């Protein structure tokens, strides 16, 4: 592409008249273009493409393009192509990337950006500078700064089937390899820990296969793990006495509890102590009315509450007494820099939310304590922790986000080295205060206007980026904005394939522990794999 600047401003963008042999059909919204001023270079993004004419009447009345003479007269002179650029980064004579505070001189030349231009702004690939994709029309690595990424929470969005899971796998692999943070992954659909089917019916590796002992897998559904032959590090069980009334209240939307039921829960705990839920669920139905009199509650209301809470008895990981404290084991792994994936198997959404609430509450308490101790001792704080949570709107909905530990982590915990990596289809269902605290936003294609507006809320040049977002392909393209990139960028996401495995993996498949694991399965030594 070649062109000359003939009109523009910082607010409305730069208008470039195409010249030479430039073909307008080769130019795409989201492409990178460099405008070379007299003192600075400006790295810009194409945000609009249009035609203009010396005499607008030509465009209205048209012309006879069957006539070669008419075509040559009009094309490039009477009617010409114009691209609108948003200047994103200003590079000075010393190759310093600066915030745009000026515009190039009138008549400055515009050309497609090259590798040197991209590297000058985004940097070259390294462990910290993670290669996540390429510009849609270029074969040049675009990098995202992982050190900046973990400083604040991150969001990955997009409707179903657009590639959110692949993007999440890419980022998690980069984080594990870089050792800049440790990850806790709530794997609702069993897609990150071990091998999984891809959308094209192929097979992709999980983090355990890429990084071996740097990743530990815990499961809440041991039967599902057995069927999928996943080499787990532990079965996660939750004791009834680890569940607090607050954990129940955060599930209110699923349990449909009224104010009377909530009041009764606190009355039950006052009588029963920490084991309130187990004791209450084991009261004989014929004794409920008498129990209601003891705690000053309504008998029929207590019967209704018991029916609703009986859903917990169907969760396979809940026990009256657990043989070991798996939550403490997970905390120990995280403190030692070992990444943890929690697989949920076929556990219901109710179980997913309950476990995520309980574990994040423990993490909150642990990291606040460790950080405060580090401040008191003038020592280094805990290793940054990134918590990956799918279906994030369930925890960050406006009606409950102020009450959930997830919401508190999103708003306040970065000062304690804890951030979220939230994965969701619906940005509009996430609390606006939480969205404002997300440092880096990555989105695949969105189609709902409310979701698009929520994603772009508070973003500079939001109207121009809306055009860019609308131009994304159905799959494997994303727009990245925020703290971890120097400017908004459209990428074709890197393939999660054998080439990627070689680049990031620190582990040799031939040495992997799944061989003895499979041998134990064949010998039916299940107890050695999953001790009770």
């Amino acid at each position: 592409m070649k062109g000359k600047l003939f009109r523009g401003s910082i607010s409305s963008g730069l208008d470039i008249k195409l010249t030479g042999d430039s073909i307008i059909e080769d130019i795409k919204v989201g492409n990178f273009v460099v405008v070379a001023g007299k003192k600075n270079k400006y790295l810009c993004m194409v945000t609009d493409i249009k035609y203009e004419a010396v005499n607008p009447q030509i465009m209205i009345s048209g012309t006879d393009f069957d006539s070669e003479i008419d075509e040559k007269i009009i094309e490039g002179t009477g009617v010409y192509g114009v691209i609108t650029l948003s200047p994103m980064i200003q590079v000075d004579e010393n190759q310093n990337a600066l915030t745009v505070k000026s515009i190039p001189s009138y008549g400055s030349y515009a050309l497609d950006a090259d590798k040197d231009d991209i590297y000058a702004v985004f940097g070259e690939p390294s462990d910290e500078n993670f290669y996540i994709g390429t510009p849609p029309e270029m074969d040049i690595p675009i990098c995202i700064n992982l050190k900046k990424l973990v400083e604040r929470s991150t969001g990955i969005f997009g409707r179903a089937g657009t590639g959110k899971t692949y993007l999440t796998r890419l980022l998690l692999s980069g984080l594990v390899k870089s050792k800049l943070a440790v990850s806790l992954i709530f794997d609702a659909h069993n897609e990150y820990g071990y091998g999984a089917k891809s959308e094209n019916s192929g097979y992709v590796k999980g983090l355990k296969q890429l990084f071996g002992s740097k990743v530990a897998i815990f499961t809440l559904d041991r039967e599902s793990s057995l069927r999928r032959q996943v080499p787990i590090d532990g079965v996660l069980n939750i004791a009834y006495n680890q569940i607090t009334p607050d954990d129940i209240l955060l599930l209110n939307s699923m349990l449909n509890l009224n104010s009377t039921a909530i009041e009764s829960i606190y009355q039950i705990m006052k009588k029963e102590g920490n084991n309130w839920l187990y004791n209450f669920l084991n009261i004989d139905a014929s004794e409920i009315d008498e129990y209601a009199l003891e705690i000053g509650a309504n008998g029929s209301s207590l019967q209704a509450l018991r029916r609703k809470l009986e859903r917990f008895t169907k969760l396979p990981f809940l026990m009256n007494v657990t043989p070991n404290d798996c939550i403490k084991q997970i905390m120990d792994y995280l403190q030692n820099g070992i990444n943890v994936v929690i697989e949920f198997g076929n556990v219901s959404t109710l179980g997913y939310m309950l476990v995520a609430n309980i574990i994040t509450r423990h993490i909150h308490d642990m990291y606040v304590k460790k950080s405060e101790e580090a401040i008191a001792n003038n020592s280094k704080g805990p290793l940054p922790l990134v918590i990956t949570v799918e279906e994030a709107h369930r925890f960050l909905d406006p009606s409950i986000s102020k009450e959930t530990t997830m919401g508190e982590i999103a708003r306040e915990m970065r000062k304690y080295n804890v951030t979220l990596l939230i994965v969701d289809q619906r940005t509009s269902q996430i609390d606006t205060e939480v969205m404002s605290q997300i440092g880096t936003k990555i989105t695949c294609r969105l189609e709902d206007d409310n979701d698009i507006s929520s994603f772009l809320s508070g973003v500079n040049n939001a109207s121009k980026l809306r055009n860019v977002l609308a131009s994304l392909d159905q799959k494997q393209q994303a727009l990245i904005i925020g703290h971890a990139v120097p400017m908004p960028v459209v990428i074709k996401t890197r393939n999660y394939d054998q080439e990627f495995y070689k680049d990031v993996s620190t582990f040799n498949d031939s040495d992997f522990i799944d061989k003895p694991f499979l041998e134990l399965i064949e010998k039916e030594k299940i107890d050695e794999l999953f001790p009770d």
Side-chain angles (χ1 to χ4, degrees):
M1 187 219 85
K2 295 180 181 178
K4 275 190 175 183
L5 172 64
F6 73 97
R7 180 175 59 211
S9 69
I10 289 180
S11 59
S12 62
L14 309 177
D15 284 344
I16 305 295
K17 179 182 177 182
L18 296 179
T19 61
D21 298 328
S22 298
I23 300 175
I24 198 167
E25 293 179 20
D26 290 338
I27 301 166
K28 305 290 192 299
V29 170
N31 281 11
F32 285 127
V33 173
V34 169
V35 181
K38 292 181 178 180
K39 290 186 175 182
N40 304 292
K41 280 186 176 182
Y42 297 80
L43 186 60
C44 309
M45 179 186 289
V46 177
T47 54
D48 200 5
I49 306 170
K50 58 191 173 185
Y51 283 110
E52 290 194 12
V54 173
N55 181 356
Q57 189 63 36
I58 296 177
M59 299 179 70
I60 296 172
S61 60
T63 186
D64 182 9
F65 279 100
D66 291 332
S67 167
E68 188 175 338
I69 296 176
D70 279 4
E71 182 177 355
K72 288 184 177 179
I73 291 173
I74 291 173
E75 187 177 2
T77 54
V79 177
Y80 50 89
V82 174
I83 63 171
T84 300
L85 307 176
S86 286
M88 300 294 183
I89 294 291
Q90 181 174 325
V91 181
D92 67 14
E93 297 167 304
N94 298 317
Q95 296 301 302
N96 296 314
L98 309 171
T99 302
V100 176
K101 294 183 178 178
S102 66
I103 61 174
S105 304
Y106 176 83
S108 295
Y109 281 96
L111 299 168
D112 287 325
D114 61 21
K115 187 174 184 178
D116 291 337
D117 297 320
I118 299 296
Y119 281 177
V121 173
F122 291 93
E124 297 186 36
S126 65
D127 281 354
E128 181 177 318
N129 222 27
F130 181 65
Y131 164 28
I132 192 169
T134 62
E137 303 298 322
M138 303 177 183
D139 190 22
I140 303 171
I142 293 290
C143 298
I144 188 168
N145 190 293
L146 295 178
K147 187 174 182 181
K148 290 185 176 180
L149 185 86
V150 302
E151 289 175 352
R152 299 179 62 183
S153 290
T154 302
I156 296 179
F157 307 107
R159 65 177 182 77
T162 54
K164 293 189 305 299
T165 301
Y166 277 87
L167 264 170
T168 306
R169 285 194 189 106
L170 290 172
L171 275 183
L172 289 173
S173 298
L175 288 174
V176 176
K177 184 183 179 185
S178 72
K179 301 179 183 179
L180 291 168
V182 63
S183 291
L184 171 63
I185 302 155
F186 292 113
D187 192 357
H189 306 296
N190 314 313
E191 294 174 314
Y192 304 114
Y194 203 62
K197 284 187 176 180
S198 62
E199 289 187 3
N200 59 7
S201 299
Y203 175 87
V204 293
K205 291 186 178 182
L207 296 175
K208 185 77 172 179
Q209 290 153 301
L210 295 179
F211 301 102
S213 60
K214 293 180 181 178
V215 177
I217 299 178
F218 285 78
T219 183
L220 285 100
D221 185 348
R222 81 182 218 172
E223 298 303 323
S224 172
S225 297
L226 275 173
R227 287 191 297 271
R228 291 181 290 115
Q229 299 187 355
V230 175
I232 64 168
D233 294 84
V235 177
L236 176 57
N237 293 310
I238 301 291
Y240 277 95
N241 61 15
Q242 291 176 302
I243 301 174
T244 70
D246 288 344
D247 293 325
I248 303 296
L249 298 186
L250 295 177
L251 303 173
N252 189 20
S253 60
M254 301 188 71
L255 296 173
N256 194 25
L257 302 176
N258 56 32
S259 57
T260 302
I262 293 170
E263 183 180 346
S264 297
I265 287 174
Y266 283 105
Q267 290 173 315
I268 294 167
M269 185 174 184
K270 186 176 180 180
K271 174 178 172 57
E272 302 292 342
N274 290 338
N275 217 26
W276 67 275
L277 180 57
Y278 181 82
N279 292 345
F280 178 61
L281 291 175
N282 281 277
I283 295 174
D284 191 274
S286 62
E287 299 174 353
I288 286 290
D289 288 338
E290 182 180 344
Y291 188 84
L293 288 175
E294 289 182 34
I295 64 172
N298 178 275
S300 58
S301 297
L302 217 57
Q303 289 277 15
L305 174 62
R306 189 170 181 274
R307 286 194 296 272
K308 292 176 179 178
L309 295 183
E310 279 178 347
R311 291 178 62 182
F312 288 101
T313 62
K314 299 177 182 178
L315 298 177
F317 56 84
L318 273 182
M319 296 184 173
N320 183 28
V321 179
T322 56
N324 47 54
D325 192 344
C326 286
I327 292 181
K328 183 181 182 303
Q329 189 178 355
I330 289 172
M331 300 298 110
D332 290 341
Y333 272 131
L334 295 175
Q335 288 185 78
N336 289 313
I338 298 174
N339 304 273
V340 174
V341 179
I342 299 177
E343 287 194 348
F344 286 80
N346 295 313
V347 170
S348 66
T349 302
L350 179 72
Y352 173 66
M353 293 186 66
L354 176 66
V355 170
N357 282 328
I358 291 172
I359 292 179
T360 51
R361 176 158 45 81
H362 281 78
I363 285 174
H364 174 277
D365 294 344
M366 180 182 78
Y367 268 76
V368 168
K369 179 182 177 182
K370 294 290 182 184
S371 297
E372 290 175 346
E373 288 174 351
I375 293 171
N377 298 326
N378 195 26
S379 59
K380 189 176 179 180
L383 182 67
L385 169 65
V386 177
I387 302 174
T388 299
V389 55
E390 296 184 293
E391 300 182 35
H393 66 274
R394 296 186 181 277
F395 307 92
L396 302 173
D397 181 273
S399 64
I400 63 170
S401 71
K402 289 181 174 57
E403 308 298 328
T404 65
T405 306
M406 291 282 192
E408 186 175 352
I409 290 172
R411 292 190 303 271
E412 302 175 6
M413 284 296 287
R414 68 188 180 98
K415 62 186 176 184
Y416 297 113
N417 287 350
V418 182
T419 57
L420 298 180
L421 171 55
I422 63 178
V423 185
D424 211 297
Q425 295 185 37
R426 303 299 307 272
T427 60
S428 59
Q429 294 184 13
I430 296 174
D431 186 16
T432 54
E433 184 180 354
V434 171
M435 285 295 291
S436 71
Q437 296 299 316
I438 295 176
T440 304
K441 299 177 183 178
I442 306 174
T443 187
C444 302
R445 189 175 178 89
L446 293 171
E447 294 185 347
D448 184 89
D449 283 342
N450 291 329
D451 292 333
I452 294 171
S453 297
S454 176
F455 178 83
L456 294 173
S457 177
V459 175
N460 290 332
N461 297 319
S463 60
K464 297 174 185 176
L465 291 177
R466 181 179 283 266
N467 293 338
V468 174
L469 189 53
S471 73
L472 294 178
D473 286 349
Q474 296 290 335
K475 288 186 178 183
Q476 210 177 352
Q477 283 193 5
L479 171 64
I480 308 176
I481 58 178
H483 192 56
V485 287
M487 58 175 278
V489 55
V490 174
I491 63 164
K492 177 183 177 182
T493 55
R494 188 176 178 184
N495 289 328
Y496 188 83
D497 55 14
Q498 294 295 333
E499 183 179 345
F500 177 78
Y501 303 156
K502 291 177 183 177
D503 283 350
V504 301
S505 180
T506 58
F507 190 72
N508 187 345
D509 268 339
S510 64
D511 297 329
F512 195 50
I513 60 172
D514 58 358
K515 287 186 178 178
F517 178 89
L518 295 177
E519 287 172 5
L520 285 170
I521 286 181
E522 290 170 3
K523 295 176 182 177
E524 297 184 352
K525 294 184 178 180
I526 303 301
D527 290 340
E528 294 182 36
L529 289 169
F530 302 101
D532 289 329

